[in-house]
Amino acid sequence: MELFWLEHKKLWRKRIVKICVLLCFVYSVIFGSILSFQWFSFGSSDDYTSAFGNNFDGYSVIRDSQEYALTFGEELTDETFQQLVRDYQKMEAAGMDMELEKTDWTIINSWLGTLYPELRETGTYQTMISYVDPDKLIGFYERRQQAVEDFLENSGQVGTEKEYLLNMEQEVEKPLRYEWVEGWSQLLGSMVADLGAVMALFLAIALSSLFAGEWHDNTSSLVLTTKNGWGKVAFAKVLTGLAFTVELFAILAIPNIISQIFFMGIAGWDMPIQNIKLIAIAPMNMLQAEIYEYAFALFGAIGYAGVVMFISATVKSNVLALLFSLAAVYGPMIVAEYLPYELQKAMDLLPLVGSSTDIFRTNTFQFFGKIVWSPYLLITIPVLIGVCCMPFTIKNWSRRLKA
C-alpha cells in the first residue's frame, strides 16, 4: 500500500496530469454542463449579439418549460398529442416566439415524422408541426407499434431476433408518461453520452507515460535496485492508473450531476426513453438510462486505462505510447464508416469506441445461437479487455527492464 501511495503521488505531481484534469474539468463541467444549461443549449434565443445567439437565462427557461409541459397532464394520449400540436400552431400564428421556446417542438416534430409520414408536405420549408392537421393525429400507439415492426424488418432483424426485441419492447409501460423532454434529450444524447470520449483524450495523455516515462526519465534501471523489485512496482503502477481513472471520473461526474439537479431538478426522471426516440425498444426510464450512460463511461474508461497502460509498458517512447493510445480509441471511430456493418458493431466493443446511446437502438449480437442486446456487451466487454491487458502490462514491462 505504501508503494501504491508513492506512485499515486508521483503521478499527481506531474504538471501535465494537473493540466489534463483541469482542462477536462473545464471542458466537461464548465462548458459541457453549467454553461450549456444556462447559455449554449437552453438560453432563450433573443440576444443576437451573443456568439451563441442565446441569452444567459437557461435556468428560468428550463423551469418555464417544465411548468408548461405539466399543463398537458402526465400521460401521452392521442388527445394530449393533438393538444401539443394545436397549442404550438396557435402560438406560432400569434407570433409568440418566446413562448414557443417552452415547447418540446423538436421532439414532437420527430414524432410526427415517425408516425405520420403520409401527412408530410413536400415543397415547403415549414416543419410538420407548423402545418399538420391536429385532428388527423390519431392511433398514436398503434402507429408506434407498426413503426417499430417496420424498422426491424427494414433493418433485416426478422425471425427470432425480431421476436427477442419485440418481447423486450412489450415491457415498456403504456401510455407513456409525458413531461418536458428536451432537457433529458440533450442530457442523454450528448452531455453524458460524450463523457467517455472526452475522458479518453486526457487519460491517454496522463497514463501513456506511466511506464514509458521510466525509460524517458532514465529511471528504469533504478527500479531493479529497489527492495520491492519490478513486480511490486509494476503492480502499484497499474493500481495507480486505475485509481486515477476512477478519480477523474468522479471529478467530472459528481459536479455534472450537481449541475443537472440545480438546473433541471429531478422532474421527468421516470419518463420512458421512448419520449426521446419513439422506436426505442428498451424498457428504461430517464434515470435508468442516465445511470447506464455513467456506468458505460466509467467501465469503458477503466478498460481503456488498461489498454493505455499495456501500450505504455510495451513501447519505450512517450510519444509512441501517446500516439498508439489515441489510435486505440479514435482510430476505430475514424475508419468505422468504411467497414462492413458487422465489423462496425464488433469494434464498438473496444473501450470507449462504442456509444452509450445504443440503449436507443436495436443492435444485437449472436453467440452460439443466443441473441444478446448490444448495450449489455458495451458495458461489460470493454472493462474485461482492460482487465485482461493488466497481467500482460506487468509482464511486458518486466521483460523490457530485464533486457
Side-chain angles (χ1 to χ4, degrees):
M1 184 59 68
E2 180 182 358
L3 189 57
F4 162 73
W5 286 115
L6 289 173
E7 289 291 338
H8 187 265
K9 291 178 182 178
K10 179 181 175 181
L11 178 65
W12 274 100
R13 284 196 187 105
K14 292 182 179 179
R15 182 179 299 176
I16 187 65
V17 171
K18 295 177 181 178
I19 293 174
C20 282
V21 172
L22 177 61
L23 291 178
C24 194
F25 181 86
V26 170
Y27 181 85
S28 179
V29 178
I30 305 300
F31 286 93
S33 182
I34 297 175
L35 290 181
S36 183
F37 277 123
Q38 182 65 14
W39 185 16
F40 306 153
S41 298
F42 298 107
S44 58
S45 55
D46 191 41
D47 181 10
Y48 298 103
T49 64
S50 165
F52 295 92
N54 290 347
N55 290 307
F56 199 75
D57 58 355
Y59 181 86
S60 60
V61 171
I62 290 171
R63 287 293 184 271
D64 290 343
S65 300
Q66 290 174 330
E67 291 177 6
Y68 173 76
L70 290 175
T71 63
F72 296 93
E74 295 185 351
E75 291 187 348
L76 184 59
T77 63
D78 285 355
E79 292 74 18
T80 303
F81 190 37
Q82 292 170 357
Q83 191 58 41
L84 283 166
V85 174
R86 191 174 288 112
D87 265 30
Y88 178 89
Q89 293 177 351
K90 288 180 179 179
M91 289 188 289
E92 187 178 45
M96 302 168 64
D97 294 340
M98 294 295 293
E99 297 299 314
L100 291 177
E101 296 191 16
K102 300 178 183 179
T103 69
D104 275 319
W105 72 269
T106 55
I107 300 293
I108 297 169
N109 200 64
S110 70
W111 295 349
L112 289 170
T114 300
L115 302 184
Y116 304 92
E118 75 278 4
L119 300 181
R120 182 182 287 109
E121 296 181 3
T122 58
T124 179
Y125 65 90
Q126 289 183 303
T127 55
M128 283 189 71
I129 193 174
S130 298
Y131 61 76
V132 72
D133 184 356
D135 293 330
K136 294 182 179 180
L137 305 179
I138 57 176
F140 184 93
Y141 291 100
E142 293 80 3
R143 283 176 172 263
R144 178 189 171 274
Q145 185 66 31
Q146 189 61 50
V148 171
E149 295 182 10
D150 290 345
F151 177 81
L152 294 178
E153 291 188 5
N154 293 335
S155 302
Q157 295 175 296
V158 295
T160 55
E161 185 179 12
K162 179 180 179 180
E163 182 181 358
Y164 170 84
L165 293 170
L166 288 179
N167 286 338
M168 183 183 297
E169 192 279 331
Q170 289 302 311
E171 297 180 22
V172 177
E173 293 187 10
K174 306 177 187 70
L176 306 179
R177 291 196 73 261
Y178 174 74
E179 292 186 39
W180 184 58
V181 181
E182 184 61 31
W184 286 100
S185 178
Q186 291 278 355
L187 184 73
L188 299 179
S190 59
M191 291 183 184
V192 182
D194 293 342
L195 183 61
V198 174
M199 288 183 65
L201 171 62
F202 297 101
L203 283 174
I205 297 173
L207 298 182
S208 60
S209 63
L210 190 62
F211 288 93
E214 300 290 357
W215 297 96
H216 179 269
D217 298 333
N218 294 319
T219 59
S220 58
S221 59
L222 296 177
V223 175
L224 293 175
T225 65
T226 64
K227 63 178 181 179
N228 298 295
W230 64 264
K232 291 183 178 179
V233 174
F235 185 69
K237 284 180 175 292
V238 168
L239 290 182
T240 296
L242 293 178
F244 174 80
T245 302
V246 174
E247 289 160 356
L248 178 61
F249 173 80
I251 289 172
L252 302 179
I254 293 174
N256 277 338
I257 293 172
I258 294 173
S259 171
Q260 171 194 341
I261 293 175
F262 174 78
F263 284 101
M264 287 178 50
I266 59 173
W269 69 269
D270 54 348
M271 284 190 297
I273 63 172
Q274 283 69 27
N275 283 9
I276 296 176
K277 187 174 183 180
L278 272 182
I279 59 174
I281 49 89
M284 302 175 70
N285 60 37
M286 301 297 184
L287 178 59
Q288 291 169 332
E290 183 176 5
I291 292 173
Y292 175 88
E293 291 197 351
Y294 274 119
F296 172 91
L298 175 59
F299 293 157
I302 291 174
Y304 181 64
V307 173
V308 173
M309 288 187 287
F310 170 75
I311 295 172
S312 179
T314 304
V315 301
K316 293 185 178 182
S317 168
N318 280 349
V319 175
L320 285 179
L322 176 58
L323 291 178
F324 287 143
S325 297
L326 293 174
V329 64
Y330 297 113
M333 296 180 185
I334 295 172
V335 303
E337 61 179 302
Y338 305 105
L339 300 175
Y341 179 65
E342 292 300 323
L343 190 54
Q344 290 182 33
K345 290 201 302 179
M347 294 184 72
D348 284 344
L349 299 178
L350 298 174
L352 296 181
V353 173
S355 172
S356 59
T357 57
D358 254 36
I359 56 176
F360 296 100
R361 305 187 182 112
T362 61
N363 294 333
T364 62
F365 291 86
Q366 292 197 27
F367 296 97
F368 306 105
K370 183 176 179 60
I371 300 173
V372 182
W373 187 44
S374 65
Y376 295 143
L377 299 179
L378 290 176
I379 205 171
T380 54
I381 298 298
V383 70
L384 290 178
I385 291 175
V387 170
C388 290
C389 284
M390 292 173 193
F392 296 99
T393 298
I394 298 174
K395 183 178 180 180
N396 282 2
W397 198 54
S398 66
R399 183 183 302 156
R400 286 189 170 275
L401 283 177
K402 291 177 180 178

